[in-house]
Amino acid sequence: MSVLNKIARTLVSNRRGILAADESIGTMSSRLEKVGVEATAENRRLYRELIVTTPQLAESISGIILADETFHQKLSNGRTFPEYLGDIGILAGIKVDTGAKPLAGAPGEKVTEGLDGLRERIEEYVRLGATFAKWRAVIDIGDGRPTDRAVRANAHALARYAGLCQEGGLVPIVEPEVLMDGSHSLAKCQEVTTSVLETVFAELDLMEVQLDGIVLKPNMVVAGAESTEQPSVEDVANATVESLRAAVPASVPGIAFLSGGQRPEVATQNLAAMQKLESLPWELTYSFGRALVGPALETWRGDNGNEAAAQQALSERAVANASAR
């Protein structure tokens, strides 16, 4: 078993999942402000310290994806975040893309950037304790979207990122997210998701990425948030797994779903329903952000007196998702 395969399997095994705490400074600041917390570097650090020091977190969480700012910060005990996570048996990951930017010649569509200098950044993150990385591509469904141009541009970038990660010793989390914004149907989401995944794996093959050393982080197949016909949990589970069967090779160790803006309870229910389907070649787990930490942030609101209750809220969501596996 290669080192990359061992790390990938650790991330998706034993009922555990991945916590995404990698919001950019702008996004994290906005979320703090919405709950009445001043958006300072220290408050961002305090909030993420609250997250990683939640008691028994390692029983449900295998890895935590951090942002660059957090990766270089220290907890109150003087340990860096990666060092502390290693102490408690959780793998430290890092978001390495620099965000989705408008794609030339494709109005309304974006391509994720960050390949320039990535090899050198990976070397630095490995030195600081990273074992895996994340790169998110966003695909929008709308009038004439997605275009082949947008899908292929994002798939190519994902594959180049994955190759650089593996070259540098990191397991790449490959995240092609078909957004749930809009009024599209479940069937349309399934069609687009399948096509996107097929294109991504064609590019990964072209770049000779070691598939047993990656983790796929796709969207669940859902109807658009504004659709008047919302599918049942069973319909979401069946459509999602059908897409995966059509496009994802069995050599991929595991699939860690993003929540994509679903309500925390709904994302958990959908994950649980997929576990009931038979003969799946991959581990199916979770890599949630808001669906795990949203209740904790709402409870904390910058008040140290709420810390224990906020950690309890996170623990309950993490345990619920581990149980759903």
Side-chain angles (χ1 to χ4, degrees):
M1 182 184 298
S2 73
V3 172
L4 292 174
N5 179 248
K6 183 177 180 180
I7 294 170
R9 291 191 177 281
T10 298
L11 284 169
V12 299
S13 64
N14 297 327
R15 299 175 63 229
R16 299 195 298 171
I18 302 164
L19 193 160
D22 59 333
E23 301 94 338
S24 67
I25 290 175
T27 298
M28 191 67 255
S29 295
S30 175
R31 290 181 182 171
L32 288 176
E33 289 171 346
K34 286 181 179 177
V35 295
V37 180
E38 185 180 0
T40 64
E42 176 60 10
N43 282 337
R44 291 190 295 271
R45 188 198 68 79
L46 284 171
Y47 167 64
R48 283 170 169 150
E49 178 169 335
L50 178 150
I51 295 300
V52 303
T53 57
T54 295
Q56 287 83 52
L57 190 63
E59 295 178 9
S60 305
I61 300 297
S62 58
I64 297 181
I65 311 168
L66 301 172
D68 179 81
E69 178 185 55
T70 314
F71 216 84
H72 291 88
Q73 290 174 328
K74 293 182 178 180
L75 281 75
S76 300
N77 63 11
R79 303 287 280 169
T80 67
F81 276 80
E83 287 170 345
Y84 176 78
L85 291 177
D87 292 343
I88 63 173
I90 294 178
L91 297 175
I94 179 69
K95 172 189 173 182
V96 297
D97 70 69
T98 57
K101 309 294 170 59
L103 177 63
E109 296 186 289
K110 296 181 178 181
V111 64
T112 302
E113 298 182 351
L115 291 171
D116 290 348
L118 181 55
R119 178 179 280 112
E120 292 74 24
R121 288 191 288 127
I122 286 171
E123 291 175 358
E124 175 71 0
Y125 288 132
V126 169
R127 184 183 69 79
L128 293 173
T131 58
F132 69 101
K134 192 201 85 166
W135 179 289
R136 173 177 177 252
V138 292
I139 305 295
D140 183 55
I141 297 178
D143 186 17
R145 302 188 305 274
T147 61
D148 288 343
R149 178 185 304 186
V151 172
R152 292 181 65 181
N154 278 290
H156 179 74
L158 275 168
R160 288 184 60 193
Y161 139 82
L164 284 166
C165 282
Q166 291 189 340
E167 175 189 273
L170 294 179
V171 166
I173 290 185
V174 176
E175 181 178 356
E177 178 180 1
V178 177
L179 299 173
M180 63 183 290
D181 302 335
S183 58
H184 54 271
S185 66
L186 178 77
K188 181 63 176 179
C189 182
Q190 182 175 354
E191 173 193 331
V192 172
T193 298
T194 303
S195 176
V196 167
L197 290 174
E198 289 173 342
T199 304
V200 167
F201 278 98
E203 290 290 334
L204 291 171
D205 181 63
L206 185 64
M207 295 294 171
E208 298 185 356
V209 171
Q210 179 185 329
L211 294 185
D212 67 354
I214 74 168
V215 172
L216 178 67
K217 183 175 177 177
N219 54 282
M220 297 181 187
V221 174
V222 297
E226 299 169 17
S227 173
T228 56
E229 295 184 10
Q230 290 297 321
S232 67
V233 168
E234 290 72 22
D235 288 341
V236 169
N238 286 320
T240 301
V241 170
E242 285 176 7
S243 279
L244 298 175
R245 289 188 193 278
V248 182
S251 54
V252 174
I255 295 165
F257 292 102
L258 56 90
S259 55
Q262 299 178 80
R263 296 198 314 277
E265 298 80 4
V266 172
T268 304
Q269 291 166 4
N270 289 337
L271 177 64
M274 290 181 218
Q275 309 296 333
K276 300 175 183 178
L277 303 179
E278 297 180 354
S279 304
L280 301 179
W282 333 271
E283 296 271 4
L284 299 185
T285 188
Y286 50 95
S287 179
F288 295 163
R290 282 172 291 176
L292 277 172
V293 301
L297 180 58
E298 287 285 343
T299 302
W300 177 57
R301 294 181 174 270
D303 185 343
N304 289 337
N306 295 334
E307 182 174 319
Q311 291 183 328
Q312 179 63 27
L314 169 58
S315 181
E316 288 174 358
R317 293 311 317 150
V319 169
N321 281 290
S323 299
R325 291 198 59 188

